[in-house]
């Protein structure tokens, strides 16, 4: 009983020390974008939600430039009637120019801000951030919430890699890892995710399309419920069709993949990567009925070859830009002994790395055929 009274007393004391912020007296920043200007100044554009005494809210966009991000935010405060708080910040966007210069400083500032959650999403903007945020979209009323939901739902459905502040800082401080951020752009009346930006030492070094995101996830970890579209060679399955066709496109969904990675030669280094894939054959754009074990096996063989080719292409590109977003470096460090592997060493080894890829797909269900 005595302990309980002490705990309650401390709770009241701590509550009294906390700074109280009444909702109607502050502005809530839900999204902020940073862009580097030609003169070296940093432009900060914030999406701010204002709430009045009747709990009605409206969204406004404020922008300011300064040499430091802190002073840019201060200049934004000078334009608003209420104190701006970062407790509801959900997304931070970086301009391409800033991302090419390096995000170390900005990531450090976000990490040191106690008001900013580690769960906020980070992304890169293709084009002008201010133009993207200030444009009056016909079907978007809250641009901050819209971009947050855009990134969130695409990560959940495996169309983009997760890019929370926690995950990016975790990879940033790793001895051998690189990280990737979603790239978004304004396209007419819409905002879309165009792909993933690949980073090396916190600087953009390359970009892959959104179509390739699922392949990256298959190499990184076990996946569930992914979707793939494959274009198979013209003659791959023409023997199964009643009439010839020019192109064969198939769609796979509810993909459940499992990877097995073995380091077979540390001196190269060389890995054997096997990906076991269970999927549903959702669509085929040709007159093919896959209704026998022989036909299913033939389709699976073509799927295996195509995915192996795509995985090889993506790994090769990441080696060309020297950005290990697949975590091969961490797996190499875990399997070698008496070898010092730091970032500089892995930058030397990664472009030479060899990966022997084998895909074993299994069609467990089929769906719609056209």
């Amino acid at each position: 009983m005595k302990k309980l009274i002490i705990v309650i007393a401390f709770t009241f004391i701590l509550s009294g020390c906390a700074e109280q912020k009444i909702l109607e007296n502050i502005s809530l920043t839900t999204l902020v974008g940073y862009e580097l200007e030609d003169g070296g100044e940093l432009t900060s554009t914030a999406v701010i939600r204002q709430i009045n005494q009747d709990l009605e809210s409206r969204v406004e966009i404020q922008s300011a430039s300064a040499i430091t991000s802190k002073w840019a935010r201060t200049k934004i405060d000078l334009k608003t009637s209420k104190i701006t708080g970062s407790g509801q910040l959900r997304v931070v966007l970086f301009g391409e120019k800033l991302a090419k210069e390096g995000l170390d400083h900005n990531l450090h500032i976000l990490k040191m801000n106690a008001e900013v959650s580690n769960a906020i999403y980070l992304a890169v903007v293709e084009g002008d951030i201010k133009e993207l945020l200030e444009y009056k979209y016909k079907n978007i009323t809250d641009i901050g919430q819209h971009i947050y939901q855009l990134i969130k739902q695409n990560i959940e459905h495996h169309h983009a890699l997760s890019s929370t502040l926690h995950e990016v800082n975790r990879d940033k401080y790793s001895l051998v890892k690189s990280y990737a951020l979603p790239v978004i752009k304004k396209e007419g009346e819409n905002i879309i995710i165009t792909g993933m930006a690949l980073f090396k030492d916190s600087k953009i070094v390359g970009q892959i399309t959104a179509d390739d995101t699922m392949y990256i996830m298959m190499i990184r970890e076990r996946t569930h419920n992914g979707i793939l579209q494959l274009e198979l060679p013209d003659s791959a399955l023409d023997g199964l069709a009643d009439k010839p066709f020019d192109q064969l496109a198939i769609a796979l969904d509810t993909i459940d993949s499992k990877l097995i990675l073995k380091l077979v030669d540390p001196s190269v280094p060389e890995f054997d990567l096997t990906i076991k894939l269970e999927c549903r054959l959702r669509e085929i754009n040709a007159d093919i009925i896959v209704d026998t074990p022989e036909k299913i096996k033939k389709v699976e063989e073509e799927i295996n070859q195509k995915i192996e080719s795509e995985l090889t292409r993506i790994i090769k590109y990441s080696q060309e830009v020297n950005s290990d977003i697949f975590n091969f470096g961490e797996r190499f460090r875990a399997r070698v002994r008496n070898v010092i592997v730091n970032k500089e060493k892995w930058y030397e080894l990664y472009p030479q790395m060899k990966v022997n890829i084998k895909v074993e797909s299994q069609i467990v269900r089929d769906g719609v055929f056209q």
Side-chain angles (χ1 to χ4, degrees), residues 253-318:
D253 70 358
T254 59
I255 291 175
D256 185 357
S257 73
K258 178 183 177 183
L259 67 93
I260 302 169
L261 189 69
K262 294 181 180 178
L263 179 65
V264 293
D265 188 350
S267 64
V268 179
E270 180 177 355
F271 290 94
D272 279 351
L273 173 63
T274 302
I275 295 178
K276 297 181 181 292
L277 197 72
E278 290 186 354
C279 58
R280 178 172 66 164
L281 183 57
R282 182 63 184 241
E283 286 185 27
I284 296 181
N285 72 339
D287 186 20
I288 296 178
I289 304 299
V290 187
D291 57 354
T292 66
E294 292 75 20
K295 290 182 180 179
I296 292 175
K297 185 178 179 181
K298 179 63 177 173
V299 173
E300 290 173 344
E301 289 173 352
E302 295 301 331
I303 290 173
N304 294 343
Q305 289 182 24
K306 182 62 179 178
I307 294 179
E308 287 169 5
S309 170
E310 295 297 313
L311 295 175
T312 301
R313 173 181 60 81
I314 293 169
I315 291 175
K316 185 179 179 183
Y317 176 72
S318 79

Side-chain angles (χ1 to χ4, degrees), residues 66-326:
I67 298 175
T68 64
S69 62
K70 180 63 178 176
W71 193 245
R73 293 299 304 273
T74 300
K75 290 172 77 172
I76 289 177
D77 285 340
L78 294 174
K79 300 179 182 179
T80 60
S81 58
K82 301 175 184 177
I83 298 172
T84 55
S86 301
Q88 292 299 312
L89 186 64
R90 294 288 182 265
V91 180
V92 173
L93 303 176
F94 301 105
E96 281 184 296
K97 186 176 180 181
L98 178 62
K100 288 177 181 175
E101 291 290 324
L103 300 181
D104 273 347
H105 180 65
N106 298 82
L107 294 175
H108 179 72
I109 290 173
L110 290 172
K111 179 188 170 189
M112 298 305 294
N113 188 342
E115 280 191 67
V116 175
S117 165
N118 266 329
I120 64 170
Y121 290 122
L122 310 180
V124 173
V125 171
E126 187 179 331
D128 189 85
I129 291 182
K130 197 175 173 184
E131 181 184 335
L132 178 137
L133 296 178
E134 290 184 340
Y135 183 79
K136 303 298 182 185
Y137 298 91
K138 292 178 181 175
N139 301 315
I140 300 174
T141 55
D142 185 341
I143 187 70
Q145 183 67 11
H146 178 82
I147 293 178
Y148 168 68
Q149 290 294 343
L150 172 77
I151 297 173
K152 182 173 181 285
Q153 72 94 3
N154 276 287
I155 289 173
E156 290 175 350
H157 290 89
H158 296 180
H159 304 318
L161 300 177
S162 186
S163 60
T164 63
L165 178 61
H166 166 73
E167 291 165 321
V168 171
N169 270 317
R170 178 199 62 197
D171 294 346
K172 175 176 175 291
Y173 289 108
S174 159
L175 290 177
V176 289
K177 275 185 180 177
S178 299
Y179 60 86
L181 299 182
V183 180
I184 67 173
K185 68 176 285 191
K186 175 182 173 295
E187 189 173 87
E189 290 293 324
N190 298 305
I191 299 172
I192 64 171
I193 294 178
T194 60
M196 301 295 302
L198 277 55
F199 283 76
K200 175 188 175 187
D201 288 338
S202 296
K203 297 180 181 179
I204 283 184
V205 291
Q207 184 173 334
I208 61 166
T209 67
D211 295 345
D212 291 336
T213 304
M214 187 61 195
Y215 295 117
I216 297 175
M217 299 188 75
M218 288 166 61
I219 300 172
R220 286 164 57 125
E221 59 193 359
R222 182 167 188 167
T223 62
H224 304 280
N225 298 322
I227 300 173
L228 273 181
Q229 174 184 282
L230 303 176
E231 294 183 19
L232 302 182
D234 296 350
S235 60
L237 298 170
D238 54 2
L240 303 182
D242 294 335
K243 54 185 178 181
F245 50 85
D246 297 328
Q247 184 185 37
L248 181 65
I250 67 172
L252 308 173
D253 70 358
T254 59
I255 291 175
D256 185 357
S257 73
K258 178 183 177 183
L259 67 93
I260 302 169
L261 189 69
K262 294 181 180 178
L263 179 65
V264 293
D265 188 350
S267 64
V268 179
E270 180 177 355
F271 290 94
D272 279 351
L273 173 63
T274 302
I275 295 178
K276 297 181 181 292
L277 197 72
E278 290 186 354
C279 58
R280 178 172 66 164
L281 183 57
R282 182 63 184 241
E283 286 185 27
I284 296 181
N285 72 339
D287 186 20
I288 296 178
I289 304 299
V290 187
D291 57 354
T292 66
E294 292 75 20
K295 290 182 180 179
I296 292 175
K297 185 178 179 181
K298 179 63 177 173
V299 173
E300 290 173 344
E301 289 173 352
E302 295 301 331
I303 290 173
N304 294 343
Q305 289 182 24
K306 182 62 179 178
I307 294 179
E308 287 169 5
S309 170
E310 295 297 313
L311 295 175
T312 301
R313 173 181 60 81
I314 293 169
I315 291 175
K316 185 179 179 183
Y317 176 72
S318 79
Q319 290 179 284
E320 289 173 358
V321 298
N322 213 346
S323 177
D324 179 13
I325 56 171
F326 307 105

